[in-house]
């Protein structure tokens, strides 16, 4: 048997912008935000990994460039 919803439990359909915004606010209230220390630590970690990957790829690129240059000047 289906039950009727009372006026208090009715929600705005999700297809409307207001319903979407209500869902967004509801989900943001569930978020556990990181502390300042955790954010700082993770930011430093990301920057360190990004620099390491950048240096590694640069070294590989320089190596391949020298290899190709050597092959082209050899012929």
């Amino acid at each position: 048997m289906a039950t009727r919803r009372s006026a208090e439990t009715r929600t705005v359909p999700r297809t409307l912008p207001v319903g979407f915004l209500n869902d967004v606010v509801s989900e943001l209230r569930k978020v556990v935000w990181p502390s300042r220390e955790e954010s700082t630590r993770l930011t430093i970690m990301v920057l360190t990994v990004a620099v390491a990957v950048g240096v590694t790829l640069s070294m590989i690129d320089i190596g391949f460039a020298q290899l190709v240059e050597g092959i082209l000047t050899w012929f």
Side-chain angles (χ1 to χ4, degrees):
M1 178 183 277
T3 59
R4 295 182 130 196
R5 289 184 172 183
S6 65
E8 295 81 29
T9 61
R10 288 187 190 150
T11 60
V12 179
R14 288 189 175 156
T15 57
L16 297 177
V18 174
F20 174 75
L21 291 176
N22 285 338
D23 288 345
V24 169
V25 170
S26 172
E27 289 300 319
L28 284 175
R29 288 187 178 159
K30 298 176 190 176
V31 173
V32 178
W33 298 101
S35 66
R36 178 180 284 268
E37 293 80 20
E38 186 177 12
S39 296
T40 303
R41 182 176 49 84
L42 291 174
T43 301
I44 291 171
M45 192 180 309
V46 166
L47 292 174
T48 302
V49 170
V51 168
V53 168
V55 169
T56 302
L57 290 176
S58 296
M59 298 297 274
I60 291 171
D61 183 49
I62 290 169
F64 277 126
Q66 289 179 350
L67 179 67
V68 169
E69 185 180 341
I71 290 171
L72 292 178
T73 56
W74 184 62
F75 287 111

Coordinates of all heavy atoms in Angstrom, one line a residue:
M1 N 0.8 -1.2 0.0 CA 0.0 0.0 0.0 C 0.9 1.2 0.0 O 1.8 1.4 0.8 CB -0.9 0.0 1.2 CG -1.8 1.2 1.3 SD -2.8 1.2 2.8 CE -4.1 0.2 2.3
A2 N 0.6 2.2 -0.9 CA 1.4 3.4 -1.0 C 1.0 4.4 0.1 O -0.2 4.5 0.4 CB 1.3 4.0 -2.4
T3 N 1.9 5.1 0.6 CA 1.6 6.1 1.6 C 1.7 7.5 0.9 O 2.5 7.7 0.0 CB 2.6 6.0 2.8 OG1 3.9 6.2 2.3 CG2 2.5 4.7 3.5
R4 N 1.0 8.4 1.4 CA 1.0 9.7 0.9 C 2.1 10.5 1.7 O 2.2 10.4 2.9 CB -0.3 10.4 1.1 CG -1.4 9.8 0.3 CD -2.7 10.6 0.4 NE -3.2 10.9 -0.9 CZ -4.1 11.8 -1.1 NH1 -4.6 12.5 -0.2 NH2 -4.5 12.0 -2.4
R5 N 2.7 11.4 0.9 CA 3.7 12.3 1.5 C 3.0 13.5 2.1 O 2.1 14.0 1.5 CB 4.8 12.7 0.5 CG 5.7 11.7 0.1 CD 6.7 12.3 -0.8 NE 7.8 11.3 -1.1 CZ 8.8 11.6 -1.8 NH1 9.0 12.8 -2.3 NH2 9.7 10.7 -2.0
S6 N 3.5 13.9 3.3 CA 2.9 15.1 3.8 C 3.6 16.3 3.2 O 4.6 16.2 2.5 CB 3.1 15.1 5.3 OG 4.4 15.2 5.6
A7 N 3.1 17.5 3.4 CA 3.6 18.7 2.9 C 5.0 18.9 3.3 O 5.8 19.5 2.6 CB 2.7 19.9 3.2
E8 N 5.4 18.5 4.6 CA 6.7 18.7 5.1 C 7.8 17.9 4.4 O 8.9 18.2 4.4 CB 6.7 18.4 6.6 CG 5.9 19.3 7.5 CD 4.4 18.9 7.4 OE1 4.1 17.7 7.3 OE2 3.5 19.8 7.6
T9 N 7.4 16.7 3.9 CA 8.4 15.8 3.3 C 8.5 16.0 1.8 O 9.3 15.3 1.2 CB 8.1 14.3 3.6 OG1 6.8 14.0 3.1 CG2 8.1 14.1 5.1
R10 N 7.7 16.8 1.2 CA 7.8 17.0 -0.3 C 9.2 17.7 -0.6 O 9.6 18.6 0.1 CB 6.7 17.9 -0.8 CG 5.4 17.1 -0.8 CD 4.3 17.9 -1.4 NE 3.0 17.3 -1.2 CZ 1.9 17.9 -1.1 NH1 1.9 19.2 -1.3 NH2 0.8 17.3 -0.9
T11 N 9.8 17.3 -1.7 CA 11.0 17.9 -2.1 C 10.8 18.5 -3.5 O 9.9 18.1 -4.2 CB 12.2 16.9 -2.1 OG1 11.8 15.9 -3.0 CG2 12.4 16.4 -0.8
V12 N 11.7 19.4 -3.8 CA 11.6 20.0 -5.2 C 12.2 19.0 -6.1 O 13.2 18.4 -5.8 CB 12.4 21.3 -5.2 CG1 12.4 22.0 -6.6 CG2 11.9 22.3 -4.2
P13 N 11.6 18.8 -7.3 CA 12.2 17.8 -8.2 C 13.6 18.2 -8.6 O 13.9 19.4 -8.7 CB 11.2 18.0 -9.4 CG 10.0 18.5 -8.9 CD 10.4 19.4 -7.7
R14 N 14.4 17.2 -8.8 CA 15.8 17.5 -9.1 C 16.0 18.1 -10.5 O 17.1 18.6 -10.8 CB 16.6 16.2 -9.1 CG 16.8 15.7 -7.7 CD 17.8 14.5 -7.7 NE 18.0 14.1 -6.3 CZ 18.4 13.0 -5.9 NH1 18.6 12.0 -6.8 NH2 18.6 12.7 -4.7
T15 N 15.0 18.1 -11.3 CA 15.2 18.7 -12.7 C 15.2 20.2 -12.6 O 15.7 20.9 -13.5 CB 14.1 18.2 -13.6 OG1 12.8 18.6 -13.0 CG2 14.2 16.7 -13.8
L16 N 14.7 20.8 -11.5 CA 14.7 22.2 -11.4 C 16.0 22.7 -10.8 O 16.6 22.0 -9.9 CB 13.5 22.7 -10.5 CG 12.1 22.3 -11.0 CD1 11.1 22.8 -9.9 CD2 11.9 23.1 -12.3
P17 N 16.5 23.9 -11.1 CA 17.7 24.4 -10.6 C 17.7 24.5 -9.0 O 18.7 24.2 -8.4 CB 17.9 25.8 -11.2 CG 17.1 25.7 -12.5 CD 15.9 24.8 -12.2
V18 N 16.6 24.8 -8.5 CA 16.5 24.9 -7.0 C 16.7 23.6 -6.4 O 17.4 23.4 -5.4 CB 15.1 25.5 -6.6 CG1 14.9 25.5 -5.1 CG2 14.9 26.9 -7.1
G19 N 16.1 22.5 -7.0 CA 16.3 21.2 -6.5 C 17.8 20.8 -6.6 O 18.3 20.1 -5.6
F20 N 18.5 21.1 -7.7 CA 19.9 20.8 -7.8 C 20.7 21.5 -6.7 O 21.6 20.9 -6.1 CB 20.3 21.3 -9.2 CG 21.8 21.1 -9.4 CD1 22.4 19.9 -9.6 CD2 22.6 22.2 -9.4 CE1 23.8 19.7 -9.8 CE2 24.0 22.1 -9.6 CZ 24.6 20.9 -9.8
L21 N 20.4 22.8 -6.5 CA 21.1 23.6 -5.5 C 20.9 23.0 -4.1 O 21.8 23.0 -3.3 CB 20.8 25.1 -5.6 CG 21.2 25.8 -6.8 CD1 20.7 27.2 -6.8 CD2 22.7 25.8 -6.9
N22 N 19.7 22.6 -3.8 CA 19.4 21.9 -2.5 C 20.2 20.7 -2.4 O 20.8 20.4 -1.3 CB 17.9 21.6 -2.4 CG 17.1 22.8 -2.1 OD1 17.6 23.8 -1.6 ND2 15.8 22.7 -2.4
D23 N 20.4 19.9 -3.4 CA 21.2 18.7 -3.4 C 22.7 19.0 -3.2 O 23.4 18.3 -2.4 CB 21.0 17.9 -4.7 CG 19.7 17.2 -4.8 OD1 19.0 17.1 -3.7 OD2 19.3 16.7 -5.9
V24 N 23.1 20.1 -3.8 CA 24.5 20.5 -3.7 C 24.8 20.9 -2.2 O 25.8 20.5 -1.6 CB 24.9 21.6 -4.6 CG1 26.2 22.3 -4.3 CG2 24.9 21.2 -6.1
V25 N 23.9 21.7 -1.7 CA 24.1 22.1 -0.3 C 24.1 20.9 0.7 O 24.9 20.8 1.6 CB 23.0 23.2 0.1 CG1 23.0 23.5 1.6 CG2 23.3 24.5 -0.7
S26 N 23.2 20.0 0.4 CA 23.0 18.8 1.2 C 24.3 18.0 1.2 O 24.8 17.5 2.2 CB 21.9 18.0 0.8 OG 21.8 16.7 1.4
E27 N 24.9 17.8 0.0 CA 26.1 17.0 -0.1 C 27.3 17.8 0.5 O 28.2 17.2 1.1 CB 26.4 16.7 -1.6 CG 25.5 15.7 -2.2 CD 25.5 14.4 -1.5 OE1 26.6 13.9 -1.1 OE2 24.4 13.8 -1.3
L28 N 27.4 19.1 0.4 CA 28.5 19.9 1.0 C 28.5 19.8 2.5 O 29.5 19.9 3.1 CB 28.5 21.3 0.5 CG 28.9 21.5 -1.0 CD1 28.7 23.0 -1.4 CD2 30.4 21.1 -1.1
R29 N 27.3 19.6 3.1 CA 27.2 19.5 4.5 C 27.8 18.2 5.0 O 28.2 18.0 6.2 CB 25.8 19.6 5.0 CG 25.3 21.1 4.9 CD 24.0 21.3 5.5 NE 23.7 22.7 5.3 CZ 22.4 23.2 5.4 NH1 21.4 22.4 5.6 NH2 22.2 24.5 5.2
K30 N 27.9 17.2 4.1 CA 28.4 15.9 4.5 C 29.9 15.8 4.3 O 30.5 14.8 4.8 CB 27.8 14.8 3.6 CG 26.3 14.7 3.7 CD 25.8 13.6 2.7 CE 24.3 13.6 2.7 NZ 23.8 12.7 1.6
V31 N 30.5 16.8 3.7 CA 31.9 16.7 3.4 C 32.8 16.9 4.7 O 32.4 17.8 5.5 CB 32.3 17.8 2.3 CG1 33.8 17.9 2.2 CG2 31.6 17.6 1.0
V32 N 33.8 16.1 4.8 CA 34.8 16.3 5.9 C 36.0 17.1 5.3 O 36.7 16.5 4.5 CB 35.2 15.0 6.5 CG1 36.2 15.2 7.6 CG2 34.0 14.2 7.0
W33 N 36.1 18.3 5.6 CA 37.1 19.2 5.0 C 38.5 18.9 5.7 O 38.5 18.7 6.9 CB 36.8 20.6 5.1 CG 35.5 21.0 4.4 CD1 34.3 21.1 4.9 CD2 35.4 21.1 3.0 NE1 33.4 21.4 3.9 CE2 34.0 21.4 2.7 CE3 36.3 21.1 1.9 CZ2 33.5 21.6 1.4 CZ3 35.8 21.3 0.6 CH2 34.4 21.6 0.4
P34 N 39.6 18.9 4.9 CA 40.9 18.6 5.5 C 41.3 19.8 6.3 O 40.9 21.0 6.1 CB 41.8 18.5 4.3 CG 41.1 19.2 3.2 CD 39.7 19.1 3.5
S35 N 42.2 19.5 7.3 CA 42.7 20.6 8.1 C 43.8 21.4 7.3 O 44.2 21.0 6.3 CB 43.4 20.0 9.4 OG 44.5 19.3 9.0
R36 N 44.2 22.5 7.9 CA 45.2 23.4 7.2 C 46.5 22.6 7.1 O 47.2 22.7 6.1 CB 45.4 24.7 8.0 CG 46.5 25.6 7.4 CD 46.6 26.8 8.2 NE 45.6 27.8 7.9 CZ 45.6 28.7 7.0 NH1 46.7 28.8 6.2 NH2 44.6 29.6 6.9
E37 N 46.9 21.9 8.1 CA 48.1 21.1 8.1 C 48.1 20.0 7.0 O 49.1 19.8 6.3 CB 48.4 20.5 9.5 CG 48.7 21.5 10.6 CD 47.4 22.1 11.1 OE1 46.3 21.6 11.0 OE2 47.5 23.2 11.8
E38 N 47.0 19.3 6.9 CA 46.8 18.3 5.9 C 46.9 18.8 4.5 O 47.5 18.3 3.6 CB 45.6 17.5 6.2 CG 45.4 16.3 5.3 CD 44.2 15.5 5.6 OE1 43.3 16.0 6.3 OE2 44.1 14.3 5.1
S39 N 46.2 20.0 4.3 CA 46.2 20.6 3.0 C 47.6 21.0 2.6 O 48.0 20.9 1.5 CB 45.3 21.8 3.0 OG 43.9 21.4 3.2
T40 N 48.3 21.6 3.6 CA 49.7 22.1 3.3 C 50.6 20.9 3.0 O 51.3 20.9 2.0 CB 50.3 22.8 4.5 OG1 49.4 23.9 4.8 CG2 51.7 23.3 4.3
R41 N 50.5 19.8 3.7 CA 51.3 18.6 3.5 C 51.0 18.0 2.1 O 51.9 17.6 1.4 CB 51.0 17.6 4.6 CG 51.9 16.3 4.5 CD 51.6 15.4 5.7 NE 50.2 15.2 6.0 CZ 49.5 14.2 5.4 NH1 50.0 13.5 4.5 NH2 48.2 14.1 5.7
L42 N 49.7 17.9 1.8 CA 49.4 17.3 0.5 C 49.8 18.2 -0.7 O 50.2 17.7 -1.7 CB 47.9 17.0 0.5 CG 47.4 15.8 1.4 CD1 45.9 15.7 1.4 CD2 48.1 14.5 1.0
T43 N 49.7 19.5 -0.5 CA 50.1 20.4 -1.5 C 51.6 20.3 -1.8 O 52.0 20.2 -3.0 CB 49.8 21.9 -1.1 OG1 48.3 22.0 -1.0 CG2 50.2 22.8 -2.2
I44 N 52.4 20.2 -0.7 CA 53.8 20.1 -0.9 C 54.1 18.7 -1.6 O 55.0 18.6 -2.5 CB 54.5 20.2 0.5 CG1 54.4 21.6 1.0 CG2 56.0 19.7 0.4 CD1 54.9 21.8 2.4
M45 N 53.4 17.7 -1.2 CA 53.6 16.4 -1.8 C 53.3 16.4 -3.3 O 54.1 15.9 -4.1 CB 52.7 15.3 -1.1 CG 53.1 13.9 -1.4 SD 52.0 12.7 -0.6 CE 52.1 13.2 1.1
V46 N 52.2 17.0 -3.7 CA 51.8 17.1 -5.1 C 52.9 17.9 -5.9 O 53.3 17.5 -7.0 CB 50.4 17.7 -5.2 CG1 50.1 18.2 -6.7 CG2 49.4 16.8 -4.8
L47 N 53.3 19.1 -5.3 CA 54.3 19.9 -6.0 C 55.6 19.1 -6.2 O 56.3 19.2 -7.2 CB 54.5 21.2 -5.3 CG 53.4 22.2 -5.3 CD1 53.6 23.4 -4.4 CD2 53.1 22.6 -6.7
T48 N 56.0 18.4 -5.1 CA 57.3 17.6 -5.2 C 57.2 16.5 -6.3 O 58.1 16.4 -7.1 CB 57.6 16.9 -3.8 OG1 57.6 18.0 -2.8 CG2 58.8 16.1 -3.9
V49 N 56.1 15.8 -6.3 CA 55.9 14.8 -7.4 C 55.9 15.4 -8.8 O 56.5 14.9 -9.7 CB 54.7 13.9 -7.1 CG1 54.3 13.0 -8.3 CG2 54.8 13.1 -5.8
A50 N 55.2 16.6 -8.9 CA 55.1 17.2 -10.2 C 56.5 17.7 -10.7 O 56.8 17.5 -11.8 CB 54.2 18.4 -10.1
V51 N 57.3 18.2 -9.8 CA 58.7 18.6 -10.1 C 59.5 17.4 -10.5 O 60.2 17.4 -11.5 CB 59.3 19.5 -9.0 CG1 60.8 19.7 -9.2 CG2 58.6 20.8 -8.8
A52 N 59.4 16.3 -9.7 CA 60.2 15.1 -10.0 C 59.8 14.6 -11.4 O 60.7 14.2 -12.2 CB 60.0 14.1 -8.9
V53 N 58.5 14.5 -11.7 CA 58.1 14.0 -13.0 C 58.5 14.9 -14.1 O 59.0 14.5 -15.2 CB 56.5 13.8 -13.0 CG1 56.0 13.6 -14.4 CG2 56.1 12.7 -12.1
G54 N 58.5 16.2 -13.9 CA 58.9 17.2 -14.9 C 60.4 17.1 -15.2 O 60.8 17.1 -16.3
V55 N 61.2 16.9 -14.1 CA 62.7 16.7 -14.3 C 62.9 15.4 -15.1 O 63.8 15.4 -16.0 CB 63.4 16.8 -13.0 CG1 64.8 16.4 -13.1 CG2 63.3 18.2 -12.4
T56 N 62.3 14.4 -14.7 CA 62.5 13.1 -15.3 C 62.1 13.1 -16.8 O 62.9 12.7 -17.7 CB 61.6 12.0 -14.6 OG1 62.0 11.9 -13.2 CG2 61.8 10.6 -15.3
L57 N 61.0 13.7 -17.1 CA 60.6 13.8 -18.5 C 61.5 14.7 -19.3 O 61.8 14.5 -20.5 CB 59.1 14.3 -18.6 CG 58.1 13.3 -18.2 CD1 56.7 13.9 -18.2 CD2 58.1 12.0 -19.0
S58 N 62.0 15.8 -18.7 CA 62.9 16.7 -19.3 C 64.2 15.9 -19.7 O 64.8 16.1 -20.8 CB 63.3 17.9 -18.5 OG 62.1 18.6 -18.3
M59 N 64.7 15.1 -18.7 CA 66.0 14.4 -19.0 C 65.7 13.3 -20.1 O 66.6 13.2 -21.0 CB 66.4 13.6 -17.7 CG 66.7 14.6 -16.6 SD 68.1 15.6 -16.9 CE 69.4 14.6 -16.4
I60 N 64.6 12.7 -20.1 CA 64.3 11.7 -21.2 C 64.2 12.5 -22.5 O 64.8 12.0 -23.5 CB 63.0 11.0 -20.9 CG1 63.2 10.0 -19.7 CG2 62.5 10.2 -22.1 CD1 61.9 9.4 -19.2
D61 N 63.6 13.6 -22.6 CA 63.5 14.4 -23.8 C 64.8 14.8 -24.3 O 65.1 14.8 -25.5 CB 62.5 15.6 -23.5 CG 62.3 16.4 -24.8 OD1 62.0 15.8 -25.8 OD2 62.5 17.7 -24.7
I62 N 65.7 15.3 -23.4 CA 67.0 15.7 -23.8 C 67.8 14.6 -24.4 O 68.5 14.7 -25.4 CB 67.7 16.4 -22.6 CG1 67.1 17.8 -22.3 CG2 69.2 16.6 -22.9 CD1 67.6 18.4 -21.0
G63 N 67.7 13.4 -23.7 CA 68.4 12.2 -24.2 C 67.9 11.8 -25.6 O 68.7 11.5 -26.4
F64 N 66.6 11.8 -25.8 CA 66.1 11.4 -27.1 C 66.5 12.4 -28.2 O 66.8 12.1 -29.3 CB 64.6 11.2 -27.1 CG 64.1 9.9 -26.6 CD1 63.2 9.8 -25.6 CD2 64.6 8.7 -27.2 CE1 62.8 8.5 -25.1 CE2 64.2 7.5 -26.8 CZ 63.3 7.4 -25.7
A65 N 66.5 13.7 -27.8 CA 66.9 14.8 -28.7 C 68.3 14.6 -29.2 O 68.7 14.7 -30.3 CB 66.7 16.1 -28.1
Q66 N 69.2 14.3 -28.2 CA 70.6 14.0 -28.5 C 70.8 12.8 -29.4 O 71.6 12.7 -30.3 CB 71.5 14.0 -27.3 CG 71.6 15.3 -26.6 CD 72.4 15.2 -25.3 OE1 72.7 14.1 -24.8 NE2 72.7 16.4 -24.7
L67 N 70.0 11.7 -29.1 CA 70.1 10.5 -29.8 C 69.6 10.7 -31.3 O 70.3 10.3 -32.2 CB 69.1 9.5 -29.2 CG 69.1 8.1 -29.9 CD1 70.4 7.4 -29.8 CD2 68.0 7.3 -29.3
V68 N 68.5 11.4 -31.5 CA 68.1 11.7 -32.8 C 69.0 12.6 -33.6 O 69.3 12.4 -34.7 CB 66.6 12.3 -32.8 CG1 66.2 12.9 -34.1 CG2 65.6 11.3 -32.3
E69 N 69.6 13.6 -32.9 CA 70.5 14.5 -33.5 C 71.8 13.7 -33.9 O 72.3 13.9 -35.0 CB 70.9 15.6 -32.6 CG 71.8 16.6 -33.2 CD 72.2 17.8 -32.2 OE1 71.5 18.0 -31.2 OE2 73.2 18.5 -32.5
G70 N 72.2 12.8 -33.1 CA 73.4 12.0 -33.4 C 73.1 11.1 -34.6 O 74.0 10.9 -35.4
I71 N 72.0 10.5 -34.6 CA 71.6 9.6 -35.7 C 71.5 10.4 -37.0 O 72.0 10.0 -38.1 CB 70.3 8.9 -35.5 CG1 70.5 7.8 -34.4 CG2 69.8 8.2 -36.7 CD1 69.2 7.2 -33.9
L72 N 70.9 11.6 -37.0 CA 70.8 12.4 -38.2 C 72.1 12.9 -38.7 O 72.3 13.1 -39.9 CB 69.7 13.5 -38.0 CG 68.3 13.1 -37.8 CD1 67.4 14.3 -37.5 CD2 67.8 12.3 -39.0
T73 N 73.0 13.3 -37.8 CA 74.3 13.8 -38.3 C 75.2 12.7 -38.7 O 76.2 13.0 -39.4 CB 74.9 14.7 -37.1 OG1 75.0 13.9 -36.0 CG2 74.1 15.9 -36.9
W74 N 75.0 11.5 -38.2 CA 75.8 10.4 -38.6 C 75.6 10.0 -40.0 O 76.5 9.6 -40.7 CB 75.5 9.2 -37.7 CG 76.4 8.0 -37.9 CD1 77.8 8.0 -37.7 CD2 76.0 6.7 -38.3 NE1 78.2 6.7 -37.9 CE2 77.2 5.9 -38.3 CE3 74.8 6.1 -38.6 CZ2 77.2 4.6 -38.7 CZ3 74.8 4.8 -39.0 CH2 76.0 4.1 -39.0
F75 N 74.4 10.2 -40.5 CA 74.1 9.8 -41.9 C 74.5 11.0 -42.8 O 74.6 11.5 -43.6 CB 72.7 9.4 -42.1 CG 72.3 8.1 -41.6 CD1 71.5 8.0 -40.5 CD2 72.8 6.9 -42.1 CE1 71.1 6.8 -39.9 CE2 72.4 5.7 -41.6 CZ 71.6 5.6 -40.5

